């Protein structure tokens, strides 16, 4: 069976790896749509290589430049362009690999058009998990996890009764500051944060990993993807990033999913499921990878983890504020306006000031998102 895909965020880290996987799968995957923010040169190359039928550059100026180079191409722009790529008629699967909550509407459009979603963009579920999962259920659309931890959980759950799960444990590498003292943490920079020990990723994700916010987001993501109560989701630090997550069952048995860190594996699995296809990788070497360590996360130093738990416990619009505020504060940290510790400190203030709204419409949610961003800029 051939998979016909669109990639939202094709020039980012996951987007590029998805194209690589698609290329290796040959006839089995055909790329119809590409969307990115503003990287004209790269998306031009990608479109030529894949023969994509529709290309979106979110940035209007960048889109004009691409159209100038290729007047015959179907080039679209802005939010409407992103939605067009997400719901393009020829496509059956949309890989959501953008960063932040920008793609909430395009992903909802894709679900309405009954496309399967390969979800690499966790902020969408953090900000709008309730909507997205409800809509997917109504439309009978599968949300397929591409995050390595959630792909691991998905694989461990295959053939199991969810009632028999007593706990889901997400592993976290701990990021580059795992063993830093509080004093050291006061002085870390965006460049230090991007220096991830086991994964290579975009800078926003790297910084979220360094604060453990990424793991907090993944807890929220797991709740929505697998419909689990918060008490059943736990986090453990595992610096080697070999065990991608594990599940504990009521009889005390555990299942784990293991591979050398490589995002192409969960991406490929999302594109070939329920089948598995060969990859050019060497078999796992247990003698070389013979160290499996596990630690409790330091919730005092890495405050963002509990902020995520707390906002999910309160629910309603609070996780949306968490995500929007974090996005702005990470940008400000990159510009040197906010310290690394300041990200959690300011986020806590922002969350404390927000009176959670329940029974939300998408419009009110997007309004909450906008307001939280404005406030996070002023804090
Ligand atoms: Mg992950």
């Amino acid at each position: 069976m051939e998979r016909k895909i669109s990639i939202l965020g094709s020039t980012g880290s996951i987007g590029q790896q998805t194209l690589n996987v698609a290329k290796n799968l040959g006839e089995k995957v055909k790329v119809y749509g590409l969307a990115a923010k503003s990287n004209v040169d790269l998306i031009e190359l990608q479109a030529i290589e894949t023969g994509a039928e529709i290309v979106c550059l979110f940035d209007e100026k960048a889109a004009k430049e691409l159209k100038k180079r290729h007047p015959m191409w179907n080039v679209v722009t802005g939010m409407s362009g992103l939605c067009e790529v997400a719901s393009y008629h020829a496509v059956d699967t949309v890989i959501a690999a953008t960063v932040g909550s920008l793609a909430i509407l395009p992903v909802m459009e894709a679900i309405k058009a009954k496309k399967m979603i390969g979800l690499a963009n966790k902020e969408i579920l953090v900000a709008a998990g309730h909507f997205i999962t409800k809509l997917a259920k109504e439309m009978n659309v599968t949300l397929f996890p591409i995050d390595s931890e959630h792909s691991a959980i998905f694989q461990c759950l295959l053939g199991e009764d969810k009632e028999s799960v007593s706990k889901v444990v997400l592993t976290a590498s701990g990021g580059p500051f795992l063993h830093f003292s509080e004093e050291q943490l006061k002085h870390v920079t965006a460049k230090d944060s991007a220096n991830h020990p086991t994964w290579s990723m975009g800078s926003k994700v790297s910084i979220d990993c360094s604060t453990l916010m990424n793991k907090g987001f993944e807890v929220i993501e797991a709740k929505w993807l697998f419909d689990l109560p918060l008490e059943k989701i736990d986090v453990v630090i595992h610096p080697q990033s070999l065990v991608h997550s594990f599940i504990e069952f009521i009889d005390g048995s555990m299942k784990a999913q293991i591979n050398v860190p490589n995002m192409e594996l969960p991406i490929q699995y999302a594109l070939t499921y329920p089948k598995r296809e060969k990859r050019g990788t060497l078999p796992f070497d247990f003698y070389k990878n013979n160290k499996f360590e596990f630690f409790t996360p330091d919730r005092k130093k890495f405050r963002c983890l509990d902020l995520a738990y707390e906002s999910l416990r309160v629910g309603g619009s609070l996780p949306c504020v968490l995500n929007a505020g974090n996005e702005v504060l990470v940008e400000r940290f990159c510009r040197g306006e906010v310290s690394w510790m300041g990200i959690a400190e300011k986020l806590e203030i922002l969350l404390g000031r927000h009176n959670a709204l329940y029974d939300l419409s998408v419009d009110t949610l997007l309004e909450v998102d906008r307001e939280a961003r404005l406030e996070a800029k002023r804090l």
Side-chain angles (χ1 to χ4, degrees), residues 122 147-150 171 199 214-215 218 221 263:
K122 62 196 72 173
D147 214 346
S148 62
E149 294 76 2
H150 304 79
T171 54
W199 296 97
N214 182 59
K215 211 49 56 179
E218 288 179 358
E221 196 185 1
M263 274 314 292

mmCIF file with all atom_site columns, all heavy atoms in Angstrom, residues 122 147-150 171 199 214-215 218 221 263, ligand 1:
data_model
loop_
_atom_site.group_PDB
_atom_site.id
_atom_site.type_symbol
_atom_site.label_atom_id
_atom_site.label_alt_id
_atom_site.label_comp_id
_atom_site.label_asym_id
_atom_site.label_entity_id
_atom_site.label_seq_id
_atom_site.pdbx_PDB_ins_code
_atom_site.Cartn_x
_atom_site.Cartn_y
_atom_site.Cartn_z
_atom_site.occupancy
_atom_site.B_iso_or_equiv
_atom_site.pdbx_formal_charge
_atom_site.auth_seq_id
_atom_site.auth_comp_id
_atom_site.auth_asym_id
_atom_site.auth_atom_id
_atom_site.pdbx_PDB_model_num
ATOM   1   N  N   . LYS A 1 122 ? 4.269  18.094 19.616 1.00 0.00 ? 122 LYS A N   1
ATOM   2   C  CA  . LYS A 1 122 ? 3.558  17.828 20.871 1.00 0.00 ? 122 LYS A CA  1
ATOM   3   C  C   . LYS A 1 122 ? 2.780  19.022 21.404 1.00 0.00 ? 122 LYS A C   1
ATOM   4   O  O   . LYS A 1 122 ? 1.795  18.871 22.108 1.00 0.00 ? 122 LYS A O   1
ATOM   5   C  CB  . LYS A 1 122 ? 4.530  17.308 21.924 1.00 0.00 ? 122 LYS A CB  1
ATOM   6   C  CG  . LYS A 1 122 ? 5.617  18.267 22.303 1.00 0.00 ? 122 LYS A CG  1
ATOM   7   C  CD  . LYS A 1 122 ? 6.739  17.555 23.040 1.00 0.00 ? 122 LYS A CD  1
ATOM   8   C  CE  . LYS A 1 122 ? 7.538  16.700 22.088 1.00 0.00 ? 122 LYS A CE  1
ATOM   9   N  NZ  . LYS A 1 122 ? 8.721  16.096 22.631 1.00 0.00 ? 122 LYS A NZ  1
ATOM   10  N  N   . ASP A 1 147 ? 6.640  11.065 18.374 1.00 0.00 ? 147 ASP A N   1
ATOM   11  C  CA  . ASP A 1 147 ? 7.569  11.275 19.474 1.00 0.00 ? 147 ASP A CA  1
ATOM   12  C  C   . ASP A 1 147 ? 8.101  9.897  19.899 1.00 0.00 ? 147 ASP A C   1
ATOM   13  O  O   . ASP A 1 147 ? 7.333  8.932  19.962 1.00 0.00 ? 147 ASP A O   1
ATOM   14  C  CB  . ASP A 1 147 ? 6.780  11.916 20.637 1.00 0.00 ? 147 ASP A CB  1
ATOM   15  C  CG  . ASP A 1 147 ? 7.635  12.875 21.430 1.00 0.00 ? 147 ASP A CG  1
ATOM   16  O  OD1 . ASP A 1 147 ? 8.866  12.849 21.254 1.00 0.00 ? 147 ASP A OD1 1
ATOM   17  O  OD2 . ASP A 1 147 ? 7.063  13.642 22.222 1.00 0.00 ? 147 ASP A OD2 1
ATOM   18  N  N   . SER A 1 148 ? 9.405  9.781  20.174 1.00 0.00 ? 148 SER A N   1
ATOM   19  C  CA  . SER A 1 148 ? 9.980  8.456  20.424 1.00 0.00 ? 148 SER A CA  1
ATOM   20  C  C   . SER A 1 148 ? 9.332  7.766  21.633 1.00 0.00 ? 148 SER A C   1
ATOM   21  O  O   . SER A 1 148 ? 9.058  6.565  21.593 1.00 0.00 ? 148 SER A O   1
ATOM   22  C  CB  . SER A 1 148 ? 11.489 8.562  20.615 1.00 0.00 ? 148 SER A CB  1
ATOM   23  O  OG  . SER A 1 148 ? 11.785 9.348  21.739 1.00 0.00 ? 148 SER A OG  1
ATOM   24  N  N   . GLU A 1 149 ? 9.063  8.536  22.693 1.00 0.00 ? 149 GLU A N   1
ATOM   25  C  CA  . GLU A 1 149 ? 8.478  7.948  23.905 1.00 0.00 ? 149 GLU A CA  1
ATOM   26  C  C   . GLU A 1 149 ? 7.080  7.402  23.628 1.00 0.00 ? 149 GLU A C   1
ATOM   27  O  O   . GLU A 1 149 ? 6.713  6.319  24.093 1.00 0.00 ? 149 GLU A O   1
ATOM   28  C  CB  . GLU A 1 149 ? 8.373  8.985  25.027 1.00 0.00 ? 149 GLU A CB  1
ATOM   29  C  CG  . GLU A 1 149 ? 9.702  9.498  25.562 1.00 0.00 ? 149 GLU A CG  1
ATOM   30  C  CD  . GLU A 1 149 ? 10.378 10.492 24.644 1.00 0.00 ? 149 GLU A CD  1
ATOM   31  O  OE1 . GLU A 1 149 ? 9.793  10.823 23.588 1.00 0.00 ? 149 GLU A OE1 1
ATOM   32  O  OE2 . GLU A 1 149 ? 11.493 10.949 24.956 1.00 0.00 ? 149 GLU A OE2 1
ATOM   33  N  N   . HIS A 1 150 ? 6.311  8.186  22.877 1.00 0.00 ? 150 HIS A N   1
ATOM   34  C  CA  . HIS A 1 150 ? 4.922  7.791  22.642 1.00 0.00 ? 150 HIS A CA  1
ATOM   35  C  C   . HIS A 1 150 ? 4.822  6.676  21.615 1.00 0.00 ? 150 HIS A C   1
ATOM   36  O  O   . HIS A 1 150 ? 3.927  5.845  21.680 1.00 0.00 ? 150 HIS A O   1
ATOM   37  C  CB  . HIS A 1 150 ? 4.093  9.018  22.268 1.00 0.00 ? 150 HIS A CB  1
ATOM   38  C  CG  . HIS A 1 150 ? 4.193  10.074 23.326 1.00 0.00 ? 150 HIS A CG  1
ATOM   39  N  ND1 . HIS A 1 150 ? 5.288  10.896 23.409 1.00 0.00 ? 150 HIS A ND1 1
ATOM   40  C  CD2 . HIS A 1 150 ? 3.400  10.373 24.369 1.00 0.00 ? 150 HIS A CD2 1
ATOM   41  C  CE1 . HIS A 1 150 ? 5.140  11.680 24.464 1.00 0.00 ? 150 HIS A CE1 1
ATOM   42  N  NE2 . HIS A 1 150 ? 4.012  11.382 25.058 1.00 0.00 ? 150 HIS A NE2 1
ATOM   43  N  N   . THR A 1 171 ? 10.672 7.898  29.683 1.00 0.00 ? 171 THR A N   1
ATOM   44  C  CA  . THR A 1 171 ? 12.076 8.131  30.014 1.00 0.00 ? 171 THR A CA  1
ATOM   45  C  C   . THR A 1 171 ? 12.510 9.495  29.489 1.00 0.00 ? 171 THR A C   1
ATOM   46  O  O   . THR A 1 171 ? 12.031 9.966  28.464 1.00 0.00 ? 171 THR A O   1
ATOM   47  C  CB  . THR A 1 171 ? 12.974 7.042  29.399 1.00 0.00 ? 171 THR A CB  1
ATOM   48  O  OG1 . THR A 1 171 ? 12.702 6.967  27.998 1.00 0.00 ? 171 THR A OG1 1
ATOM   49  C  CG2 . THR A 1 171 ? 12.735 5.699  30.046 1.00 0.00 ? 171 THR A CG2 1
ATOM   50  N  N   . TRP A 1 199 ? 20.361 13.308 21.533 1.00 0.00 ? 199 TRP A N   1
ATOM   51  C  CA  . TRP A 1 199 ? 19.520 13.548 20.358 1.00 0.00 ? 199 TRP A CA  1
ATOM   52  C  C   . TRP A 1 199 ? 19.976 14.815 19.665 1.00 0.00 ? 199 TRP A C   1
ATOM   53  O  O   . TRP A 1 199 ? 20.374 15.765 20.320 1.00 0.00 ? 199 TRP A O   1
ATOM   54  C  CB  . TRP A 1 199 ? 18.054 13.766 20.755 1.00 0.00 ? 199 TRP A CB  1
ATOM   55  C  CG  . TRP A 1 199 ? 17.355 12.622 21.388 1.00 0.00 ? 199 TRP A CG  1
ATOM   56  C  CD1 . TRP A 1 199 ? 17.182 12.426 22.724 1.00 0.00 ? 199 TRP A CD1 1
ATOM   57  C  CD2 . TRP A 1 199 ? 16.702 11.523 20.744 1.00 0.00 ? 199 TRP A CD2 1
ATOM   58  N  NE1 . TRP A 1 199 ? 16.459 11.286 22.938 1.00 0.00 ? 199 TRP A NE1 1
ATOM   59  C  CE2 . TRP A 1 199 ? 16.153 10.717 21.750 1.00 0.00 ? 199 TRP A CE2 1
ATOM   60  C  CE3 . TRP A 1 199 ? 16.525 11.172 19.400 1.00 0.00 ? 199 TRP A CE3 1
ATOM   61  C  CZ2 . TRP A 1 199 ? 15.442 9.548  21.466 1.00 0.00 ? 199 TRP A CZ2 1
ATOM   62  C  CZ3 . TRP A 1 199 ? 15.810 10.013 19.125 1.00 0.00 ? 199 TRP A CZ3 1
ATOM   63  C  CH2 . TRP A 1 199 ? 15.286 9.210  20.147 1.00 0.00 ? 199 TRP A CH2 1
ATOM   64  N  N   . ASN A 1 214 ? 10.004 19.697 28.020 1.00 0.00 ? 214 ASN A N   1
ATOM   65  C  CA  . ASN A 1 214 ? 9.699  18.737 26.963 1.00 0.00 ? 214 ASN A CA  1
ATOM   66  C  C   . ASN A 1 214 ? 9.051  17.487 27.554 1.00 0.00 ? 214 ASN A C   1
ATOM   67  O  O   . ASN A 1 214 ? 8.062  16.984 27.025 1.00 0.00 ? 214 ASN A O   1
ATOM   68  C  CB  . ASN A 1 214 ? 10.989 18.376 26.212 1.00 0.00 ? 214 ASN A CB  1
ATOM   69  C  CG  . ASN A 1 214 ? 10.726 17.412 25.076 1.00 0.00 ? 214 ASN A CG  1
ATOM   70  O  OD1 . ASN A 1 214 ? 9.972  17.702 24.173 1.00 0.00 ? 214 ASN A OD1 1
ATOM   71  N  ND2 . ASN A 1 214 ? 11.334 16.232 25.147 1.00 0.00 ? 214 ASN A ND2 1
ATOM   72  N  N   . LYS A 1 215 ? 9.591  17.020 28.688 1.00 0.00 ? 215 LYS A N   1
ATOM   73  C  CA  . LYS A 1 215 ? 9.024  15.816 29.317 1.00 0.00 ? 215 LYS A CA  1
ATOM   74  C  C   . LYS A 1 215 ? 7.653  16.121 29.893 1.00 0.00 ? 215 LYS A C   1
ATOM   75  O  O   . LYS A 1 215 ? 6.734  15.309 29.831 1.00 0.00 ? 215 LYS A O   1
ATOM   76  C  CB  . LYS A 1 215 ? 9.985  15.289 30.389 1.00 0.00 ? 215 LYS A CB  1
ATOM   77  C  CG  . LYS A 1 215 ? 9.962  13.804 30.605 1.00 0.00 ? 215 LYS A CG  1
ATOM   78  C  CD  . LYS A 1 215 ? 10.048 12.968 29.333 1.00 0.00 ? 215 LYS A CD  1
ATOM   79  C  CE  . LYS A 1 215 ? 11.253 13.280 28.482 1.00 0.00 ? 215 LYS A CE  1
ATOM   80  N  NZ  . LYS A 1 215 ? 11.314 12.416 27.270 1.00 0.00 ? 215 LYS A NZ  1
ATOM   81  N  N   . GLU A 1 218 ? 5.313  15.960 27.246 1.00 0.00 ? 218 GLU A N   1
ATOM   82  C  CA  . GLU A 1 218 ? 5.090  14.570 26.827 1.00 0.00 ? 218 GLU A CA  1
ATOM   83  C  C   . GLU A 1 218 ? 4.133  13.844 27.765 1.00 0.00 ? 218 GLU A C   1
ATOM   84  O  O   . GLU A 1 218 ? 3.412  12.946 27.343 1.00 0.00 ? 218 GLU A O   1
ATOM   85  C  CB  . GLU A 1 218 ? 6.431  13.837 26.708 1.00 0.00 ? 218 GLU A CB  1
ATOM   86  C  CG  . GLU A 1 218 ? 7.212  14.310 25.496 1.00 0.00 ? 218 GLU A CG  1
ATOM   87  C  CD  . GLU A 1 218 ? 8.563  13.625 25.333 1.00 0.00 ? 218 GLU A CD  1
ATOM   88  O  OE1 . GLU A 1 218 ? 8.927  12.794 26.188 1.00 0.00 ? 218 GLU A OE1 1
ATOM   89  O  OE2 . GLU A 1 218 ? 9.253  13.937 24.337 1.00 0.00 ? 218 GLU A OE2 1
ATOM   90  N  N   . GLU A 1 221 ? 0.892  14.979 26.534 1.00 0.00 ? 221 GLU A N   1
ATOM   91  C  CA  . GLU A 1 221 ? 0.686  14.296 25.249 1.00 0.00 ? 221 GLU A CA  1
ATOM   92  C  C   . GLU A 1 221 ? 0.231  12.843 25.482 1.00 0.00 ? 221 GLU A C   1
ATOM   93  O  O   . GLU A 1 221 ? -0.701 12.362 24.831 1.00 0.00 ? 221 GLU A O   1
ATOM   94  C  CB  . GLU A 1 221 ? 2.022  14.321 24.491 1.00 0.00 ? 221 GLU A CB  1
ATOM   95  C  CG  . GLU A 1 221 ? 1.946  14.005 23.026 1.00 0.00 ? 221 GLU A CG  1
ATOM   96  C  CD  . GLU A 1 221 ? 3.358  13.947 22.387 1.00 0.00 ? 221 GLU A CD  1
ATOM   97  O  OE1 . GLU A 1 221 ? 4.376  14.134 23.097 1.00 0.00 ? 221 GLU A OE1 1
ATOM   98  O  OE2 . GLU A 1 221 ? 3.430  13.697 21.184 1.00 0.00 ? 221 GLU A OE2 1
ATOM   99  N  N   . MET A 1 263 ? 15.429 9.139  15.470 1.00 0.00 ? 263 MET A N   1
ATOM   100 C  CA  . MET A 1 263 ? 14.041 9.503  15.230 1.00 0.00 ? 263 MET A CA  1
ATOM   101 C  C   . MET A 1 263 ? 13.460 8.853  13.971 1.00 0.00 ? 263 MET A C   1
ATOM   102 O  O   . MET A 1 263 ? 12.249 8.791  13.797 1.00 0.00 ? 263 MET A O   1
ATOM   103 C  CB  . MET A 1 263 ? 13.901 11.026 15.109 1.00 0.00 ? 263 MET A CB  1
ATOM   104 C  CG  . MET A 1 263 ? 13.733 11.754 16.421 1.00 0.00 ? 263 MET A CG  1
ATOM   105 S  SD  . MET A 1 263 ? 12.520 11.002 17.529 1.00 0.00 ? 263 MET A SD  1
ATOM   106 C  CE  . MET A 1 263 ? 11.001 11.293 16.627 1.00 0.00 ? 263 MET A CE  1
HETATM 107 MG MG1 . LIG B 2 .   ? 10.413 12.813 22.975 1.00 0.00 ? 1   LIG B MG1 1
#
